[in-house]
Amino acid sequence: MKLPRNWNRLVRKVMRRCERRCEWRRAEFNMRCGRAATMVVHAGKKDDHAVGNLLGLCTWHAAQKAQLDWEASRFVAIRVRPAREDGGKKG
Ligand SMILES: [Zn+2]
């Protein structure tokens, strides 16, 4: 599976949409998993990189997804910085 060049940007968009919470089955249930999302995976076609086809998942559900008959996808671990730190320069 090839990731698009703007994958990082897509990941950020998904993270913003899901507020960094796992989106497991969000379409089918009202309840969300609610754990911190650490991965972004394709919900459907692997070559469809539309944000609507991407899901932010927690580590657990990303593993669950791989075990289902969805094609095992290569997960992209993302490191989301909580806040931008300014160098650690001391005045
Ligand atoms: Zn989850």
Side-chain angles (χ1 to χ4, degrees), residues 22-24 33-35 57-58 60-61:
C22 177
E23 295 186 294
W24 180 255
C33 162
R35 270 179 276 212
L57 294 181
C58 65
W60 167 256
H61 278 128

Side-chain angles (χ1 to χ4, degrees), residues 15-65:
M15 283 296 121
R16 201 172 302 156
R17 180 187 68 195
C18 71
E19 297 171 321
R20 298 182 190 177
R21 296 291 168 190
C22 177
E23 295 186 294
W24 180 255
R25 295 281 172 99
R26 72 195 276 271
E28 291 168 45
F29 300 110
N30 287 329
M31 285 204 308
R32 283 157 115 191
C33 162
R35 270 179 276 212
T38 55
M39 312 269 188
V40 171
V41 301
H42 293 80
K45 289 187 212 159
K46 296 288 181 287
D47 57 351
D48 179 0
H49 305 306
V51 174
N53 188 42
L54 299 174
L55 288 173
L57 294 181
C58 65
T59 310
W60 167 256
H61 278 128
Q64 295 292 299
K65 186 179 188 299

Side-chain angles (χ1 to χ4, degrees), residues 72-86:
S73 56
R74 186 186 302 165
F75 304 134
V76 178
I78 50 160
R79 291 179 180 229
V80 191
R81 290 185 212 165
R84 194 159 175 211
E85 288 176 37
D86 196 18

